[in-house]
Amino acid sequence: MAANNIQDRLLRPMRDLRISVTDRCNFRCTYCMPKEIFGDDYAFMPKDMLLSWEEITRLAGLFAKLGVHKIRLTGGEPLMRRGLPELIRMLQGIHGIEDIGCTTNGLLLGQQAQSLYDAGLRRLNVSLDALDPELFGAMNGRGIKPAIILQNIEEAREIGFQVKVNMVVQKGVNDREIMLMAEYFKSQGITLRFIEFMDVGNENGWNLKQVVTKREIFDRLGGSAALEPVAPDHPGEVARRYRYKDGQAEVGFISSVSEAFCSNCSRVRLSSDGKMYTCLFASSGFDICRLLRGGASDEELLAAIINVWEKREDRYSEERTEHAASPRKKIGMSYIGG
């Protein structure tokens, strides 16, 4: 099998690379980095543990040789890592990479949007879970109001960014905001993506009763009378997309709990300290940084990556039950990247 056609044990190719550039974040969202655990004295990774831009670029180039053509930068909060535009410029030069995006909470976007755009970044996914100031402030754990995020989104769009907004929906927490969020972003012509509350990591107190399913949200938005399906842009796209029948705005649903999409998952993840993960819900990863800093050649690194991927058989979301999800140790989202 040619290197750029590698498949795992379920015949899934490798197409998308998520790169976490930092484990730090300036929010303390209750479903990701609750402040009760990630307090002011929490010990994040020291700088020398983080992959350098040169190391990330070298590894990304190897992943591209194996079939990856899309990269998403994430964290933690990626905009907290200094010099991010430099990394984007370096990644732009990799043969085979067709698309680079970035997921952010948007707080630092006003300061950095122009430099990121000038470096070549064009797509942003901004996390925003409510429009109600008190609710959003409580959810992000820092009292940050949505107005600053909305302002930064607008400034980014004026610069030229394509922006999508991600909303993690929790029953009894922010599900009353579903219609408000939908109406606001529809009026702005911005795609809003509803994300089912997931059991990533072991710190967010997940239980199935707090999940608002794709079907429930779809029905609240008017169901098939109001929305029509949109074909995916590419194989392995995780969001189920719909267009409003009375306009061109879209909504998306990322439904890893109620409608798992493991069967066509083509994502590989690289943590900020250089571990390779083949699933968002993984318990452990392969330490490629150890090989990299140990002097391994490109051929040796490629062989290691191929070996990990060809043994891959992850399909956690298809096998999840509420009973099984709780005791199993999983890597935290702030570490592995959403």
Side-chain angles (χ1 to χ4, degrees):
M1 181 178 291
N4 62 359
N5 289 319
I6 65 167
Q7 295 178 332
D8 68 9
R9 290 183 176 177
L10 300 180
L11 305 182
R12 296 170 295 189
M14 180 191 293
R15 293 290 181 263
D16 306 89
L17 173 62
R18 294 227 158 184
I19 302 173
S20 173
V21 298
T22 181
D23 61 332
R24 298 173 184 266
C25 187
N26 42 12
F27 278 13
R28 289 296 180 268
C29 296
T30 52
Y31 55 80
C32 182
M33 295 179 68
K35 59 186 177 182
E36 293 80 11
I37 296 171
F38 296 87
D40 293 337
D41 58 348
Y42 185 82
F44 290 99
M45 292 181 201
K47 186 177 180 180
D48 61 356
M49 281 187 65
L50 302 178
L51 290 176
S52 68
W53 292 163
E54 291 76 15
E55 290 172 327
I56 289 175
T57 302
R58 182 183 176 192
L59 290 174
L62 297 178
F63 280 109
K65 288 183 178 180
L66 299 177
V68 164
H69 56 79
K70 292 186 65 178
I71 290 175
R72 176 162 293 280
L73 302 176
T74 179
E77 170 49 48
L79 272 58
M80 289 189 72
R81 178 103 182 246
R82 291 184 179 180
L84 194 62
E86 179 185 353
L87 174 62
I88 292 165
R89 290 189 186 93
M90 296 168 72
L91 295 175
Q92 291 278 357
I94 297 175
H95 178 72
I97 298 302
E98 302 169 358
D99 181 84
I100 301 173
C102 181
T103 297
T104 173
N105 60 36
L107 185 60
L108 301 176
L109 192 56
Q111 305 168 26
Q112 300 187 31
Q114 189 64 60
S115 60
L116 293 169
Y117 191 87
D118 292 344
L121 188 67
R122 294 293 180 268
R123 295 195 307 106
L124 294 168
N125 284 9
V126 180
S127 301
L128 182 67
D129 297 319
L131 292 176
D132 178 88
E134 296 305 316
L135 175 58
F136 182 61
M139 290 190 71
N140 64 54
R142 295 298 198 205
I144 305 297
K145 306 305 182 189
I148 182 63
I149 311 301
L150 296 174
Q151 178 183 333
N152 289 344
I153 288 173
E154 184 55 34
E155 291 179 4
R157 294 181 76 203
E158 289 175 358
I159 289 171
F161 278 105
Q162 175 190 339
V163 178
K164 295 178 181 177
V165 172
N166 292 340
M167 176 188 184
V168 176
V169 184
Q170 294 176 259
K171 188 170 295 183
V173 179
N174 66 333
D175 53 328
R176 67 178 186 270
E177 293 275 303
I178 288 172
M179 290 305 301
L180 293 172
M181 291 279 287
E183 290 166 2
Y184 177 83
F185 288 108
K186 178 184 178 183
S187 72
Q188 299 297 307
I190 295 175
T191 296
L192 174 62
R193 306 197 308 176
F194 298 100
I195 302 175
E196 291 180 348
F197 179 38
M198 296 180 288
D199 54 315
V200 181
N202 296 101
E203 292 92 14
N204 65 1
W206 183 87
N207 68 74
L208 193 58
K209 294 177 181 178
Q210 277 193 288
V211 175
V212 184
T213 67
K214 175 216 169 181
R215 171 53 59 184
E216 292 176 84
I217 301 172
F218 182 81
D219 288 345
R220 288 200 203 186
L221 297 181
S224 56
L227 300 168
E228 58 187 6
V230 177
D233 283 335
H234 56 85
E237 187 172 59
V238 299
R240 312 288 174 87
R241 297 166 55 204
Y242 293 83
R243 180 186 298 112
Y244 289 102
K245 290 184 177 180
D246 61 354
Q248 291 302 305
E250 289 188 13
V251 290
F253 300 88
I254 299 176
S255 50
S256 72
V257 179
S258 68
E259 297 179 10
F261 39 79
C262 301
S263 60
N264 61 357
C265 176
S266 58
R267 291 183 176 183
V268 60
R269 299 170 184 273
L270 186 65
S271 67
S272 51
D273 61 346
K275 292 185 177 63
M276 174 183 169
Y277 292 88
T278 55
C279 181
L280 177 60
F281 304 96
S283 297
S284 61
F286 174 74
D287 190 356
I288 198 167
C289 180
R290 181 180 59 82
L291 290 180
L292 183 71
R293 293 183 177 177
S297 66
D298 283 359
E299 290 71 23
E300 290 169 326
L301 292 169
L302 281 169
I305 295 170
I306 291 170
N307 183 56
V308 172
W309 190 262
E310 289 186 339
K311 290 180 178 178
R312 177 192 190 225
E313 52 188 0
D314 304 284
R315 54 189 191 94
Y316 174 80
S317 288
E318 291 180 348
E319 300 172 326
R320 174 201 288 113
T321 65
E322 185 170 16
H323 174 72
S326 184
R328 182 177 180 269
K329 182 181 182 297
K330 298 182 292 295
I331 301 299
M333 184 178 287
S334 62
Y335 171 79
I336 197 174

